[in-house]
Amino acid sequence: MGWCCSGICRALAPLVLLFVLRERSCCCCWGLKPGSGDLEKSPLSDPDPWDVLERHKRSWVWNQFFVLEEYTGNEPLYVGKLHSDVDKGEGKVKYVLSGEGATSIFTIDENTGDIHATKRLDREAQAYYTLQAQAIDRLTNLPVEPRSEFVVKVQDINDNEPKFIDGPYVAGVPERSSLGTKVVQVAATDADDPTYGNSARVVYSIVEGQPYFSVEPKTGVIRTALPNMDRETRDQYVLVIQAKDMVGQMGGLSGTTSVTVTLTDVNDNPPRFAHKIYQYTVLESLPVQSVVARIKAADADIGSNAEMDYRIMDSDGPGMFNITTDEDTQEGVIILHKPLDFETKSGFALRIEATNRNIDSNLLSLGPFSDTTSVKVTVEDVNEPPVFSTRFNKMVVSEDARVGFSIGRVSAHDPDTPHSTIRYSIDRNTDMDRFFNVDALNGVISTAKPLDREASSVHNLTIFATESQDPTQIGKGITLITVLDINDNAPVFAEDYDTVLCENAMPGQVIEKISAVDKDEPLNGHRFYFTLDAPVAGNLNFTLRDNKDNTATVLTKRGGFRRREQPMYRLPVLITDNGSPALSSTNTLSVRVCECDSSGVPLSCGAVAYTATGLSTGALLAILGCIITLLVMVLLIVTMRRRRKQPLILEEERDIRENIVRYDDEGGGEEDTEAFDMVTLRNLNIVRDPSVRRDVTPDTPTYFHYTAASRPPYKSLPDNVVFREFIWERLKDADVDPTAPPYDSLQTYAFEGSGSVAESLSSLESLSTDSDQNYDYLSNWGPRFKKLADLYGNSDSGSVFS
């Protein structure tokens, strides 16, 4: 099989053809039998046993195929040609191509074996393709050549520019670095084939950043090109670095990146004060530990290189001021260390030094790294409150001091005006009970009440000193008054003793040990003396022995005590102190007689309880039952009396005649007498209560004034008068009734009027008249009764109702 690849192969075609003819003529070199006359043995014939010993002729002619990448022609790119020696040009052999890119990228002419690339190839995507070629018989589809592989290699062209994968770059270099100091190294990569030509051979150059920096062409190392660059002048540079392939020759491709170079700081600048003298003014009332002023020395460096310490080198007020460094602002903070006093000193002069904290030994030649300045502090006068000559005074006074006794004196002065008048007073919050007074002019403290050391032994007073010219200026002083003790309290028992005496006690037996206490506190301590009071000093039952150690012992003089005879003994003990004058008190010791066991433990004490005799248990229970019954009856009576209430209206005072039926229409004839009989109202039975409400003065008006003797009977009075009198009587009774409720009660009583010209039309009295009435009088009643007169007032009316 022969091959040809593009124009290069065509140029070598005569040589290839000569090589093929030569191989064909050398049958002995390719394993053919000598003298056989056949150029080639058919692969379908039976194998010869000598074939394994002979060298066969090579049927395929191979070489590697090459194809240029990025081909942009309109026609498919010719790659090469495959040819089998079996192919005699008769069209019996068919060429088949398989493998990577077969049919999709590479195609083969099955008749001629020509191979073409139908797509644009990119070496950076795939550098070579492995294909398999085979020649088969077109009629039988049997292979006439064994399957063989060949490679199509994509030949590189310079179609990729260098790229900085890690760009852009950021780097730093200390300021004042020497010439050629390395800053950073950059690197560019080229996707072209580094083994073929110069397409991937890159050189570096600096486009921007000169003359401060340079770059090595082959390595990409960036170095300083100027010595002693100053950060304070310029602290940042932006470089543009170019990478170009083809060894930088014309026609090569290039790529760029940026490199930001920052000059890092070194301590090459000393601190400097902006002024040689600073002046500040403060008030003399400025509290201690307050900030007087802030000063700062400027340092062009940054970070730790600008840190500095301040100190006071010299001052005409030693110890008055202190200076520290504010770590956030690097300022020197001057702080007041002692109180200011304008009257003592009105100004101070300080000399302050600022020094760098971190000094580079390699840059000492640029020093010194410190600076000094002067600070003037002027003190301004303020109106200060009075000041006590002694802020804390101690005084003593005896608790028996009389009222008005002078204890001591306090003194204060005005620091601004020496002869200013001062007025003194006591803060009553520290003397709530007002035991003391202070003279407002001279400051003498005296007693205002009797003192009692036992109630309060120490008084802590706050004294105010106020300027007369300016009452807002008030000074404070403390006076501690201690009350001295006197012997004004008699000694008493130290506790309430519960003394037990056994009935079987023997003479001389100790029954109690007593001690005493005294509220006083003598300087030499207490000394108490114990004796029995004179009336009982010679008693036959007990004696007392003073132990000379502020205690005493009580002993029995005899035995045979019986609690039936006397269950309790009271022993008065006289206790005297050693005060001057001595005080004493009599304290009673109660001794109970008890029945004790053999070891002296009390079993029962006090009087013996006697059981009542002569009454049986049943009698006692009967008496108890009677008592309980009486108590229950008394309780029930009291409860009923409390719950009993007087009715608002007595039952016997109720009368049905008080219930007046009101009619708003004219009478209905004879039936009205059955509904209500007015005659009943005339038979009044008034119940009068002789008791009179004394808290109400009845003032009951009446239309008719009668005396008791001259009052006419109700039946002889007109109807309207009867009703009115009845109502007023009821109202009067209600006013004077003590059981009536304490509020006004309105009762309504209706009755017939008496103003009609025709008088009453009611038929209540019709029973007393004739049934046949004459109605002629209706014509005399006027036009309002004309209708009735027409109906009833003539003889024809009878025929109407017949």
Side-chain angles (χ1 to χ4, degrees):
M1 179 177 289
W3 59 273
C4 183
C5 182
S6 301
I8 299 176
C9 296
R10 289 192 177 96
L12 298 176
L15 296 177
V16 174
L17 180 59
L18 179 62
F19 178 76
V20 172
L21 293 176
R22 181 180 178 183
E23 289 213 357
R24 288 183 177 180
S25 63
C26 297
C27 296
C28 61
C29 297
W30 297 96
L32 294 177
K33 293 181 181 180
S36 64
D38 295 334
L39 296 175
E40 183 174 330
K41 188 176 181 179
S42 173
L44 300 177
S45 60
D46 294 333
D48 195 306
W50 292 98
D51 288 346
V52 296
L53 301 177
E54 294 179 355
R55 179 180 180 185
H56 293 280
K57 183 179 68 174
R58 184 176 181 181
S59 303
W60 294 83
V61 178
W62 287 130
N63 255 331
Q64 192 175 35
F65 292 98
F66 291 91
V67 59
L68 288 176
E69 67 171 332
E70 304 295 343
Y71 173 72
T72 59
N74 296 326
E75 297 294 331
L77 178 62
Y78 181 76
V79 177
K81 183 179 180 65
L82 297 180
H83 184 73
S84 173
D85 293 343
V86 180
D87 187 4
K88 304 300 184 180
E90 299 174 353
K92 295 181 179 182
V93 177
K94 180 173 69 174
Y95 298 94
V96 178
L97 188 66
S98 62
E100 292 181 314
T103 69
S104 62
I105 299 176
F106 301 100
T107 60
I108 187 171
D109 190 327
E110 63 180 12
N111 297 318
T112 62
D114 292 334
I115 301 173
H116 291 82
T118 61
K119 292 184 178 179
R120 184 177 178 180
L121 302 179
D122 184 5
R123 188 201 68 84
E124 287 71 37
Q126 187 167 347
Y128 60 90
Y129 298 86
T130 301
L131 300 171
Q132 293 82 34
Q134 191 173 24
I136 61 176
D137 188 283
R138 187 179 296 273
L139 297 178
T140 63
N141 284 331
L142 296 176
V144 296
E145 295 282 358
R147 184 187 300 273
S148 299
E149 288 186 349
F150 66 96
V151 176
V152 177
K153 186 175 182 182
V154 182
Q155 190 172 1
D156 182 50
I157 64 173
N158 189 18
D159 58 344
N160 291 278
E161 72 277 3
K163 294 181 179 180
F164 292 92
I165 305 301
D166 299 328
Y169 296 85
V170 177
V173 64
E175 63 174 330
R176 298 190 178 276
S177 296
S178 58
L179 180 65
T181 301
K182 180 180 177 180
V183 179
V184 69
Q185 184 176 9
V186 297
T189 58
D190 196 317
D192 293 325
D193 189 359
T195 63
Y196 180 76
N198 296 325
S199 297
R201 296 182 61 184
V202 178
V203 295
Y204 301 93
S205 62
I206 183 168
V207 179
E208 294 182 11
Q210 298 170 330
Y212 306 102
F213 299 93
S214 63
V215 61
E216 294 181 358
K218 294 182 179 181
T219 62
V221 175
I222 299 175
R223 300 182 183 275
T224 59
L226 291 177
N228 298 325
M229 286 189 290
D230 189 7
R231 185 199 66 82
E232 288 72 31
T233 302
R234 182 177 177 183
D235 62 346
Q236 193 174 82
Y237 299 84
V238 179
L239 313 181
V240 178
I241 304 299
Q242 183 188 64
K244 190 173 183 180
D245 58 15
M246 299 299 292
V247 201
Q249 297 178 1
M250 185 177 296
L253 302 179
S254 64
T256 60
T257 188
S258 64
V259 181
T260 302
V261 180
T262 301
L263 296 183
T264 58
D265 184 58
V266 298
N267 192 7
D268 59 341
N269 292 280
R272 290 291 181 263
F273 286 104
H275 306 284
K276 290 300 180 183
I277 298 177
Y278 293 87
Q279 293 187 352
Y280 299 96
T281 301
V282 295
L283 297 176
E284 66 170 330
S285 60
L286 186 69
V288 176
Q289 299 301 323
S290 298
V291 175
V292 175
R294 287 175 174 266
I295 61 175
K296 184 176 181 179
D299 193 326
D301 297 322
I302 59 175
S304 61
N305 296 320
E307 295 178 355
M308 61 190 74
D309 295 318
Y310 296 87
R311 69 185 182 96
I312 299 176
M313 300 177 63
D314 188 19
S315 174
D316 58 358
M320 288 295 299
F321 302 96
N322 191 15
I323 188 169
T324 60
T325 302
D326 188 332
E327 298 298 335
D328 295 330
T329 62
Q330 293 302 311
E331 292 177 314
V333 183
I334 302 175
I335 300 174
L336 180 64
H337 194 60
K338 293 181 179 180
L340 297 172
D341 186 6
F342 173 81
E343 289 72 24
T344 303
K345 190 174 180 60
S346 61
F348 299 89
L350 310 176
R351 186 165 184 81
I352 296 177
E353 180 187 48
T355 305
N356 270 140
R357 188 176 299 171
N358 303 305
I359 301 176
D360 191 344
S361 58
N362 297 324
L363 302 174
L364 291 177
S365 59
L366 302 176
F369 291 90
S370 63
D371 195 16
T372 59
T373 188
S374 297
V375 177
K376 302 290 185 181
V377 180
T378 302
V379 181
E380 286 188 353
D381 185 29
V382 296
N383 189 10
E384 300 173 275
V387 178
F388 284 87
S389 56
T390 303
R391 184 170 179 80
F392 186 80
N393 291 281
K394 290 184 177 182
M395 301 180 184
V396 294
V397 61
S398 177
E399 67 174 320
D400 63 345
R402 68 184 185 280
V403 175
F405 176 78
S406 297
I407 303 173
R409 182 176 181 273
V410 294
S411 177
H413 68 280
D414 187 354
D416 303 309
T417 306
H419 301 290
S420 175
T421 303
I422 305 298
R423 299 186 65 84
Y424 302 92
S425 61
I426 297 177
D427 182 2
R428 290 304 175 183
N429 291 324
T430 61
D431 185 24
M432 301 292 290
D433 296 324
R434 296 180 176 267
F435 283 109
F436 305 95
N437 287 328
V438 62
D439 190 287
L441 297 178
N442 57 26
V444 174
I445 299 176
S446 59
T447 58
K449 287 183 178 180
L451 302 178
D452 185 4
R453 188 204 64 83
E454 287 70 36
S456 180
S457 61
V458 177
H459 297 269
N460 191 352
L461 305 182
T462 298
I463 309 299
F464 292 147
T466 306
E467 290 185 15
S468 299
Q469 301 298 327
D470 186 2
T472 61
Q473 298 299 323
I474 302 175
K476 294 182 180 181
I478 304 299
T479 299
L480 190 68
I481 300 177
T482 302
V483 182
L484 300 179
D485 184 43
I486 62 171
N487 191 24
D488 58 345
N489 291 277
V492 295
F493 277 155
E495 59 181 279
D496 293 333
Y497 293 99
D498 183 15
T499 305
V500 175
L501 173 62
C502 292
E503 290 180 321
N504 57 358
M506 304 299 293
Q509 182 175 337
V510 175
I511 61 173
E512 191 65 81
K513 185 176 182 180
I514 59 176
S515 61
V517 293
D518 193 332
K519 293 183 180 180
D520 297 321
E521 293 183 357
L523 296 177
N524 298 324
H526 290 290
R527 175 67 178 93
F528 301 120
Y529 304 95
F530 300 87
T531 59
L532 290 178
D533 200 7
V536 298
N539 74 93
L540 301 177
N541 297 318
F542 305 99
T543 184
L544 185 143
R545 182 177 63 205
D546 193 339
N547 297 325
K548 308 299 183 181
D549 59 353
N550 291 340
T551 65
T553 304
V554 180
L555 303 93
T556 60
K557 278 187 176 182
R558 67 178 179 87
F561 292 92
R562 295 292 180 267
R563 60 193 180 106
R564 290 180 182 273
E565 299 174 358
Q566 185 173 350
M568 178 76 70
Y569 292 90
R570 299 186 183 278
L571 190 64
V573 179
L574 180 66
I575 307 175
T576 306
D577 62 17
N578 62 335
S580 180
L583 297 180
S584 63
S585 67
T586 300
N587 300 264
T588 301
L589 180 66
S590 299
V591 181
R592 293 186 301 154
V593 181
C594 300
E595 180 184 359
C596 303
D597 59 10
S598 58
S599 60
V601 177
L603 298 179
S604 61
C605 299
V608 177
Y610 291 93
T611 305
T613 60
L615 292 177
S616 64
T617 305
L620 292 176
L621 291 176
I623 294 173
L624 182 61
C626 293
I627 294 173
I628 293 175
T629 303
L630 290 175
L631 290 176
V632 171
M633 293 177 64
V634 171
L635 182 61
L636 289 175
I637 292 172
V638 172
T639 303
M640 292 177 65
R641 289 180 61 85
R642 289 184 177 178
R643 292 186 177 181
R644 184 178 180 183
K645 296 182 180 179
Q646 290 293 106
L648 296 180
I649 302 176
L650 296 178
E651 294 294 334
E652 57 270 17
E653 288 184 357
R654 295 185 180 180
D655 197 312
I656 193 170
R657 288 170 294 178
E658 294 180 2
N659 299 327
I660 306 301
V661 180
R662 181 175 180 178
Y663 293 88
D664 291 334
D665 54 357
E666 291 294 332
E670 299 297 329
E671 296 177 356
D672 286 351
T673 60
E674 298 177 2
F676 187 85
D677 188 1
M678 297 182 63
V679 179
T680 308
L681 296 177
R682 297 189 176 92
N683 299 325
L684 301 179
N685 183 16
I686 302 176
V687 179
R688 304 181 184 274
D689 193 344
S691 61
V692 179
R693 294 181 61 178
R694 302 183 182 276
D695 59 336
V696 177
T697 302
D699 186 12
T700 307
T702 179
Y703 289 92
F704 302 93
H705 302 280
Y706 305 103
T707 62
S710 62
R711 177 184 297 274
Y714 282 102
K715 293 182 178 181
S716 62
L717 296 176
D719 288 345
N720 59 340
V721 177
V722 170
F723 296 151
R724 293 177 184 177
E725 285 295 306
F726 173 76
I727 293 172
W728 288 118
E729 286 293 330
R730 287 301 184 189
L731 180 60
K732 181 179 178 181
D733 293 341
D735 289 339
V736 299
D737 185 6
T739 63
Y743 48 82
D744 293 335
S745 177
L746 178 62
Q747 301 184 23
T748 302
Y749 299 92
F751 57 89
E752 289 286 332
S754 60
S756 175
V757 177
E759 298 181 354
S760 175
L761 297 180
S762 174
S763 61
L764 293 177
E765 297 181 356
S766 61
L767 295 177
S768 61
T769 61
D770 296 334
S771 58
D772 296 331
Q773 299 185 24
N774 186 6
Y775 296 100
D776 293 338
Y777 59 87
L778 293 175
S779 59
N780 299 327
W781 287 1
R784 289 182 294 177
F785 297 92
K786 184 177 183 301
K787 186 66 174 178
L788 291 176
D790 293 340
L791 293 174
Y792 299 97
N794 49 55
S795 60
D796 296 336
S797 62
S799 63
V800 175
F801 297 98
S802 59

